[in-house]
Amino acid sequence: MARLGQGWILAGASLVPLAPALAQEAAADPLALDTIVVTAQRRAEAIQDVPIAITAFDQRAIERLNGRDIRDLAGLIPNLIISEVAIGPSLSQISIRGVNSQDPEKSFDPAVGVFVDGVYLGTSAFNLLDTFDLERLEVLRGPQGTLFGRNTTGGAIQAFRTRPTGELGLRARMIIGTADRTDVNAVLNLPAIRDMLSVKIAGYLQQDDGLWENPAGGATGAKDRWGLSGTVMLRAGPGELRVTWDHFRDESELTPYFPRGISTIDPLPYRLTGTPPVPATVTPAFGPDLLCLRGTPALDCDNPADRRSRVTDPHFQNSRLNALTVNADLELSERFALETVFGWRHSTEDVYIDFDGTQRTAFNVFRTQDFEQMSAEARIVSSLSGPVQFVAGVFWFNSQYSLRQAIKLDLALAGVPAPLGVLYANGSGDEDFHRAGTTALYAQGDWNITPTLTLTLGGRASWDKKQISTLFYGAALPPTAPYSILDGIIAGRPLTSSGSARADWFEFTPRAALNWKPADGILLYASYSRGYNAGGFSARAGTVRDVTTPFDPEFVNAYEVGAKADLLAGRLRVNGALFWNDYKDKQEEAIEPAPPPSFTSTTVRNVASARLRGFELEANALLADWFRLDGSLGYLDARYRSFPTFAGSGQWVSVRPQPAGTLIAADFSPLALRRAPKWTGSLSPTFFRSLGRADLSVNGLIRHTSAQFSEILNSQRGRIPPVWLYDAAATVSFGGPDNNRYRVIAFGRNLSNARPIASFTNAPVDFSTITAGRIWGLEFTFDY
């Protein structure tokens, strides 16, 4: 691996073709890299002056990805993993430096905070952001517990949309490509009224026929989503007010599931530390899948060579989102500015899922959710003449959601001695009602001890509270009655149990950093920060007791040293960081005993601790006026320190059967943390050529992610092998004084057609999602 590391040309803070992030002004040297300005510390600063591991992209750089959403950042930024979750609208799992939240249920808080125009998104739904109208994108790695609050133990992603220009203008893009892909984006700016009031209208449409072949005629993952937004900006004297309204609809098919059941056993690498009550030989393993044993092996068993979907039951969604964002900035004086952010978001989701991934009706679920959040933040930013600067603010957040679901499960998969397709649980399920609230006070100050040495100190005090109510229902119809999840929630389901609970927590998260500038263009820093992911309730648990028993916050103590350098008269930029994170009270799935008929229940408890350490390097070089080279490299060594737990009957195989509900003490610490590949990296050469009245650029991109596990027990069926992705694009720009009015791009992604798994789940049936294959397209952009 040392030779591999030496072979990378390390890439800088902008890692995509042609454009570095946030170019603010032309450099005197035509071969010097542009100045990059970010707001990672809640004030505008050059990225090379910020003692944080951060990567930034500007509007042109984002558009060069030729993608639909921020998943295209994966592989470009060291130690960043982004994957889609196929049970909701634009739903993602984001992992930074091995810190992530695996469960997308809305009672869990994401470990990587996503912010849009300063508004924190309280759920993973609708966070795969469309990229066309973004002005810039910042990815902050490591806990951001002072200025960005709870639930940023892994880091934060900040997206900022373009502001109204106040001048008449239209920017539009159309992409056509694989699977009849048709994407249309447009941004219209209207002339300002009295140089005070400006208006911008934006919209997008994304459609295709699906990237997964389905010979059974069912779901192929076809996309059908659109959105509209409007922004009004008022500038008067020292103040600016921006109000943005958004409406999004998603009626896409879900990414299809593939059956992963086996007729043998799948050994698992954890250790059993207890003794079963019945003398037997017990092996840590997933046992044979009942659907595979009782079904048709060719269709119902794992076949890694077959990448075709056979989903035939309903597998789609109907989701909506409305959002209001208000940003207000006011210069109180030459020394102080007031910045405020208000956000309101309301989403509804009707989701129909065919989990078994086969042509059978074996395990189908209907989920309907209603989520609403409201947040407000106000902060004072100083511009003092002395050696001290500070940011101080207050933050408030409140959310509520309801979940109702119904299942259709073949009872033969639950151990009932009946053939497949005869008896079903028709409409059983649960209802959950959840509220969460946070209030926080924070401050961070910078003290210039000398002109080259700066000390940063900060802290955040947070008060969290959550409450949940749950109801469990039995089957609404006899097991032989006809029922489809398209029927939704059937009236008259018998209530079997219910309960409610509430809990609250207080946490203080400090930060300290010391940075030194020994010479122009050089920054060295060392920092400590503490982040935490809030406690809460596990709405996915299988009993009232487990749903209403709270888990506590988890914590990451992060230590980092780094260097940032602009070298060779500004033609080479190299940034690097070493980090060591102590993960304590880690929230993980835990098996607990439960009454019949389930006997065990999976919930979330603070049962583990871990150590995560590694390094990151980024650099970019403008080697000539016709050649630029960008790349990145990340290394992560993530290991559990401790993980004592119980193994449930679905997680071991006994030669002599054990009584139903048997739990065996186990040590899960030998397991690898999920979504924590050891190596990530990218390399991107770009060639430029002037054609007189047009400009040509040709770009290649290589992305590598080493092996990783997608689920907690490290099943080999959930192991994602090392992946190399190869992309290429050719761009012709012409028109206007700078040849930038029109652009035509031919691009290809995943040119080697790599198709590893993207996820794996062991449930009543075992299933996976598969990565999409080769994609090509043509992009046409107009900017006037």
Side-chain angles (χ1 to χ4, degrees):
M1 296 306 295
R3 289 193 299 269
L4 175 63
Q6 292 169 0
W8 289 100
I9 302 248
L10 310 170
S14 79
L15 303 173
V16 292
L18 296 181
L22 293 174
Q24 300 297 308
E25 56 183 330
D29 186 338
L31 290 184
L33 297 166
D34 297 309
T35 301
I36 301 171
V37 175
V38 296
T39 56
Q41 297 193 115
R42 301 297 196 184
R43 63 170 73 243
E45 298 173 288
I47 193 172
Q48 298 302 93
D49 295 333
V50 179
I52 295 174
I54 175 176
T55 302
F57 300 80
D58 77 341
Q59 181 178 343
R60 292 178 300 161
I62 295 168
E63 291 179 357
R64 293 298 194 276
L65 294 171
N66 309 118
R68 285 178 161 172
D69 51 56
I70 61 172
R71 276 178 298 173
D72 298 293
L73 298 177
L76 292 172
I77 299 175
N79 293 321
L80 170 68
I81 302 294
I82 303 179
S83 55
E84 186 177 17
V85 181
I87 61 170
S90 301
L91 189 65
S92 72
Q93 294 170 338
I94 304 175
S95 176
I96 297 180
R97 293 179 174 177
V99 179
N100 61 82
S101 298
Q102 184 76 1
D103 200 314
E105 202 69 75
K106 290 180 173 60
S107 63
F108 299 100
D109 298 305
V112 175
V114 177
F115 299 78
V116 178
D117 293 336
V119 175
Y120 168 71
L121 307 190
T123 172
S124 297
F126 289 103
N127 74 354
L128 283 177
L129 309 175
D130 175 70
T131 56
F132 180 70
D133 190 36
L134 294 185
E135 177 183 89
R136 72 182 188 272
L137 194 64
E138 302 173 5
V139 180
L140 288 64
R141 301 187 293 280
Q144 307 295 319
T146 300
L147 297 180
F148 291 89
R150 63 170 191 165
N151 310 332
T152 56
T153 47
I157 297 178
Q158 288 202 98
F160 299 91
R161 291 177 287 188
T162 62
R163 302 186 181 195
T165 64
E167 300 178 357
L168 180 62
L170 174 64
R171 188 166 58 91
R173 178 182 69 174
M174 180 176 184
I175 299 177
I176 58 175
T178 304
D180 286 335
R181 171 182 175 179
T182 304
D183 293 0
V184 179
N185 302 74
V187 176
L188 173 65
N189 278 283
L190 300 178
I193 300 175
R194 296 183 179 180
D195 294 327
M196 295 175 57
L197 186 66
S198 303
V199 176
K200 182 195 74 174
I201 302 171
Y204 76 91
L205 171 68
Q206 296 177 354
Q207 292 182 330
D208 64 40
D209 292 338
L211 298 174
W212 289 267
E213 181 184 355
N214 191 330
T220 62
K223 293 292 182 286
D224 184 4
R225 56 174 68 132
W226 60 271
L228 289 172
S229 69
T231 301
V232 176
M233 182 172 71
L234 176 65
R235 285 178 173 170
E240 178 181 289
L241 174 68
R242 300 187 308 280
V243 180
T244 300
W245 175 263
D246 299 297
H247 177 74
F248 302 119
R249 293 289 298 268
D250 195 337
E251 298 176 354
S252 303
E253 293 179 347
L254 302 173
T255 300
Y257 287 114
F258 293 76
R260 300 300 308 276
I262 51 175
S263 58
T264 57
I265 66 170
D266 179 11
L268 299 174
Y270 67 85
R271 295 189 292 256
L272 292 172
T273 59
T275 302
V278 176
T281 299
V282 182
T283 302
F286 285 137
D289 184 77
L290 289 178
L291 181 61
C292 177
L293 287 178
R294 299 187 179 189
T296 305
L299 298 179
D300 303 330
C301 287
D302 180 27
N303 183 0
D306 191 348
R307 291 296 190 252
R308 296 176 298 174
S309 167
R310 288 185 172 84
V311 169
T312 53
D313 284 327
H315 197 65
F316 68 96
Q317 63 175 308
N318 188 343
S319 302
R320 299 153 294 281
L321 170 69
N322 291 303
L324 175 67
T325 304
V326 180
N327 300 93
D329 302 328
L330 178 64
E331 292 185 10
L332 300 175
S333 68
E334 293 182 355
R335 297 183 177 183
F336 301 104
L338 173 66
E339 300 174 352
T340 62
V341 182
F342 171 82
W344 171 84
R345 294 169 69 88
H346 178 228
S347 64
T348 58
E349 306 168 27
D350 292 333
V351 184
Y352 305 83
I353 311 169
D354 184 353
F355 276 120
D356 57 85
T358 70
Q359 294 174 245
R360 298 180 182 276
T361 298
F363 184 23
N364 299 344
V365 176
F366 167 69
R367 293 165 56 89
T368 180
Q369 298 185 81
D370 190 297
F371 175 83
E372 184 176 25
Q373 73 166 66
M374 189 175 297
S375 63
E377 183 172 2
R379 56 183 174 265
I380 297 291
V381 181
S382 74
S383 300
L384 303 175
S385 57
V388 176
Q389 305 292 343
F390 71 88
V391 176
V394 58
F395 173 79
W396 174 83
F397 175 88
N398 186 271
S399 71
Q400 59 184 6
Y401 91 93
S402 63
L403 163 68
R404 304 177 69 210
Q405 60 183 353
I407 71 170
K408 185 177 181 69
L409 175 66
D410 195 316
L411 291 175
L413 305 179
V416 175
L420 287 170
V422 174
L423 299 177
Y424 293 92
N426 283 324
S428 61
D430 61 294
E431 297 183 7
D432 297 292
F433 306 91
H434 185 270
R435 289 179 177 271
T438 297
T439 303
L441 299 173
Y442 64 88
Q444 179 169 296
D446 298 325
W447 175 30
N448 295 323
I449 302 173
T450 72
T452 61
L453 186 65
T454 301
L455 174 66
T456 299
L457 296 175
R460 187 182 189 102
S462 301
W463 294 263
D464 295 314
K465 59 180 180 180
K466 291 187 178 181
Q467 64 183 68
I468 194 168
S469 299
T470 187
L471 302 95
F472 285 87
Y473 293 92
L477 299 171
T480 57
Y483 170 71
S484 168
I485 59 170
L486 289 175
D487 298 329
I489 306 295
I490 303 298
R493 299 190 298 177
L495 179 65
T496 58
S497 58
S498 64
S500 62
R502 65 176 61 198
D504 58 79
W505 301 267
F506 169 79
E507 302 297 341
F508 178 74
T509 51
R511 180 174 188 270
L514 188 66
N515 67 80
W516 177 44
K517 297 180 179 179
D520 289 343
I522 304 293
L523 172 70
L524 305 177
Y525 69 89
S527 69
Y528 161 78
S529 61
R530 180 173 173 87
Y532 83 100
N533 210 26
F537 298 94
S538 176
R540 196 183 294 278
T543 68
V544 169
R545 184 197 65 183
D546 288 342
V547 171
T548 56
T549 300
F551 53 87
D552 289 323
E554 61 180 12
F555 300 90
V556 174
N557 289 312
Y559 307 88
E560 181 175 317
V561 294
K564 299 185 176 186
D566 281 350
L567 307 170
L568 302 180
R571 301 177 186 182
L572 173 65
R573 179 169 294 148
V574 180
N575 294 340
L578 297 170
F579 61 89
W580 182 295
N581 295 345
D582 281 327
Y583 211 154
K584 298 183 182 300
D585 299 322
K586 191 174 189 305
Q587 301 161 2
E588 291 284 14
E589 291 96 333
I591 304 292
E592 296 195 346
S598 59
F599 298 104
T600 61
S601 172
T602 301
T603 185
V604 172
R605 296 288 183 262
N606 304 89
V607 293
S609 62
R611 181 263 293 147
L612 306 98
R613 63 186 180 187
F615 67 81
E616 296 159 347
L617 289 169
E618 302 177 283
N620 59 344
L622 195 54
L623 303 177
D625 59 0
W626 54 269
F627 181 55
R628 173 174 175 147
L629 191 61
D630 302 311
S632 67
L633 180 66
Y635 171 77
L636 175 65
D637 179 16
R639 298 183 182 183
Y640 285 109
R641 291 184 184 273
S642 174
F643 194 168
T645 186
F646 286 99
S649 56
Q651 300 170 352
W652 42 262
V653 174
S654 179
V655 171
R656 186 175 178 183
Q658 305 295 306
T662 299
L663 297 179
I664 303 178
D667 177 13
F668 280 7
S669 61
L671 298 174
L673 276 73
R674 59 195 166 196
R675 305 289 179 183
K678 181 169 289 188
W679 294 96
T680 53
S682 66
L683 186 66
S684 178
T686 303
F687 301 86
F688 310 89
R689 184 176 179 85
S690 175
L691 304 178
R693 296 186 177 182
D695 293 330
L696 170 68
S697 67
V698 178
N699 169 261
L701 175 60
I702 303 172
R703 292 180 284 180
H704 173 68
T705 304
S706 62
Q708 58 180 302
F709 286 98
S710 62
E711 55 83 43
I712 190 172
L713 288 173
N714 294 181
S715 164
Q716 286 299 309
R717 287 174 290 159
R719 179 180 182 269
I720 303 174
V723 177
W724 291 86
L725 296 177
Y726 305 93
D727 304 339
T731 303
V732 177
S733 303
F734 57 96
D738 298 317
N739 284 336
N740 62 354
R741 180 160 294 175
Y742 309 99
R743 187 171 68 237
V744 179
I745 301 177
F747 66 88
R749 299 177 61 82
N750 189 11
L751 298 178
S752 62
N753 201 32
R755 302 197 65 189
I757 71 162
S759 68
F760 169 76
T761 301
N762 178 262
V765 296
D766 301 343
F767 57 87
S768 277
T769 55
I770 306 295
T771 304
R774 183 184 298 112
I775 297 172
W776 65 269
L778 290 173
E779 175 184 328
F780 307 91
T781 300
F782 167 83
D783 193 347
Y784 181 81

